[in-house]
Amino acid sequence: MQVFINNKEFSTKSGQTIYQVARENNIYIPALCYHDKVGVAGKCRACVVEIDGVQGLETSCQVTVREGMKISTKTEKVLKAQKLVIDLMLSSGNHDCLSCIQNGDCELQDAAYYLGIERPSLKYADIKENIDDSSEFITVDRNKCISCGRCIAACNNTVTNDVLDFKYRGAAAEISFDTDILMADSNCVQCGECSQICPVGAITDKRTKGLARSWEVDKIESICPYCGVGCKIAIHVDRKKNKIVKIEGIEGAPTNDGMLCVKGRYGFDFVAHEERLTSPLIKDKNGKFQEASWEDAISLVTSKLTEIKNKYGADKIMALASAKVTNEENYTFQKLIRTAVGTNNIDHCARL
Ligand code: SF4
Ligand code: SF4
Ligand code: SF4
């Protein structure tokens, strides 16, 4: 069907919301509670638009398009309403963008920039620190929370861990873990889904704080090195230091749709760990490991395997492949064991 947004005609599929059609066509509408994965929430009211023939404003994430619909996203009335919503969100929290880990990658900041809000017009005098830093990998700063509910929907419906909810109601409402206990004491498994889906800096990855800013990293697509599920990840690498600062799941990936487990999201220290082996080691006559060249290591392994094969037969050799290397490397390894060594004794550590 055809619809009109800001007097321009667009083709759409039936069943799409106004917000989805606008986004597909690069028309920005601030939307802080909507996320493809958790669906329509209709909470934040930032995505309002005007529709010809409809009184008042409509939330674009909740209204599906109809043939010939005429939508305006930038009228004075729309922008005034959006500005009020964003202004109130900024006013009711402690938004110290300069030192916020989310600076440059914050949907509230984007909305404020789009609407030209330079500083919140209201000031809440008594905002007290409200940080839960108890857990291993995640920091929760409730003063930056805009009560969008994305994390709650994600924890309960997407990763189905059922840990998060809102406590209290009205202006006092805030996110809580289980029966309003510390994150570290709750049933949270530190999967980090809430951190990834939070549109602002309210739930963030603890160990990324103080490292590279969002615009200083390259996001390199890869596959999680841990298990056979093969979740798709984006590795955030500080391009000056060539160091991993953060890992995110890739939204829409068929294996994991952005979700990761605690290992895949936070277990990346081994990559640059000082104790990581960077060259082969061969035991000397006294049984002590000594650094060796790859050539020496490979020829030692080859001669030992050949010796065993000649003496006892290839089936006395077995090989264990690793989940920490790529599918292609595992394929090559099983090929080597089956064809060059000549045994089917090959298994993989992800089948524990
Ligand atoms: S959450 Fe966003 S708006 Fe708030 S301080 Fe951080 S960057 Fe600024
Ligand atoms: S880290 Fe995972 S389990 Fe813990 S609160 Fe967030 S979404 Fe729920
Ligand atoms: S913590 Fe983040 S995702 Fe959760 S309600 Fe607050 S702003 Fe939304």
Side-chain angles (χ1 to χ4, degrees):
M1 63 177 72
Q2 302 300 111
V3 297
F4 298 83
I5 304 181
N6 302 336
N7 297 322
K8 251 179 108 177
E9 193 172 356
F10 297 98
S11 299
T12 75
K13 293 182 220 102
S14 75
Q16 283 193 297
T17 62
I18 296 172
Y19 176 73
Q20 285 167 335
V21 176
R23 192 183 53 180
E24 260 178 34
N25 292 288
N26 298 319
I27 298 165
Y28 177 73
I29 301 174
L32 294 158
C33 64
Y34 177 82
H35 188 281
D36 283 338
K37 208 154 59 182
V38 297
V40 173
K43 284 197 188 84
C44 77
R45 324 302 290 178
C47 71
V48 288
V49 293
E50 277 195 279
I51 304 169
D52 269 20
V54 177
Q55 271 197 341
L57 300 171
E58 294 284 336
T59 42
S60 62
C61 72
Q62 289 183 297
V63 180
T64 46
V65 286
R66 292 185 302 275
E67 180 66 49
M69 200 180 226
K70 292 194 173 77
I71 303 139
S72 304
T73 71
K74 281 181 162 182
T75 61
E76 206 184 320
K77 199 167 158 187
V78 166
L79 295 176
K80 195 175 163 202
Q82 291 177 342
K83 231 172 174 165
L84 179 66
V85 169
I86 302 301
D87 193 355
L88 286 171
M89 283 178 180
L90 286 166
S91 301
S92 59
N94 184 14
H95 292 283
D96 47 356
C97 295
L98 286 180
S99 58
C100 181
I101 188 175
Q102 213 64 20
N103 191 4
D105 193 17
C106 171
E107 294 177 44
L108 182 59
Q109 215 180 38
D110 291 345
Y113 186 68
Y114 167 75
L115 294 163
I117 302 172
E118 289 181 0
R119 58 186 59 82
S121 55
L122 307 163
K123 207 163 184 187
Y124 284 39
D126 58 345
I127 298 175
K128 295 190 191 79
E129 197 178 84
N130 194 352
I131 294 174
D132 181 345
D133 213 15
S134 62
S135 75
E136 193 73 27
F137 299 114
I138 297 168
T139 300
V140 181
D141 183 349
R142 290 188 173 87
N143 284 337
K144 292 197 173 88
C145 173
I146 55 169
S147 299
C148 70
R150 275 191 201 175
C151 58
I152 294 167
C155 184
N156 298 335
N157 309 332
T158 312
V159 288
T160 60
N161 285 326
D162 258 329
V163 177
L164 278 165
D165 205 344
F166 280 121
K167 68 175 177 185
Y168 309 133
R169 291 293 175 261
E174 59 180 35
I175 56 159
S176 78
F177 299 92
D178 287 341
T179 48
D180 194 16
I181 53 180
L182 289 173
M183 189 180 212
D185 297 334
S186 74
N187 284 312
C188 168
V189 294
Q190 299 280 283
C191 70
E193 175 71 2
C194 52
S195 166
Q196 175 155 330
I197 212 162
C198 179
V200 295
I203 304 186
T204 53
D205 294 354
K206 194 187 256 184
R207 295 187 310 166
T208 305
K209 194 169 171 73
L211 301 180
R213 314 306 306 264
S214 61
W215 54 88
E216 291 173 324
V217 298
D218 289 327
K219 294 183 186 175
I220 297 161
E221 285 197 13
S222 191
I223 303 291
C224 173
Y226 280 98
C227 83
V229 174
C231 293
K232 221 170 166 191
I233 55 173
I235 307 173
H236 296 220
V237 179
D238 180 337
R239 69 176 80 87
K240 280 196 209 121
K241 296 187 190 134
N242 193 27
K243 201 167 175 228
I244 299 174
V245 296
K246 179 177 169 165
I247 288 185
E248 270 184 339
I250 294 186
E251 301 289 343
T255 37
N256 56 317
D257 197 9
M259 293 172 273
L260 292 173
C261 74
V262 63
K263 296 178 294 172
R265 194 180 297 278
Y266 298 118
F268 55 82
D269 351 25
F270 72 92
V271 178
H273 199 279
E274 57 188 21
E275 286 181 11
R276 185 174 174 183
L277 297 183
T278 51
S279 69
L281 302 175
I282 296 177
K283 274 185 185 167
D284 62 17
K285 285 195 183 100
N286 304 318
K288 287 224 165 80
F289 279 120
Q290 302 294 347
E291 284 199 1
S293 69
W294 282 103
E295 288 73 19
D296 287 350
I298 290 167
S299 59
L300 177 70
V301 171
T302 312
S303 68
K304 293 274 183 195
L305 287 178
T306 311
E307 197 184 314
I308 295 167
K309 186 176 164 178
N310 291 342
K311 208 163 165 189
Y312 305 105
D315 278 342
K316 294 293 177 200
I317 296 170
M318 67 84 63
L320 189 67
S322 171
K324 273 189 161 52
V325 298
T326 65
N327 214 24
E328 289 73 13
E329 284 163 323
N330 274 319
Y331 177 82
T332 312
F333 187 56
Q334 64 82 29
K335 206 71 177 159
L336 171 83
I337 299 303
R338 288 199 164 105
T339 58
V341 176
T343 177
N344 287 325
N345 293 339
I346 168 115
D347 208 342
H348 188 281
C349 71
R351 297 200 322 111
L352 293 175

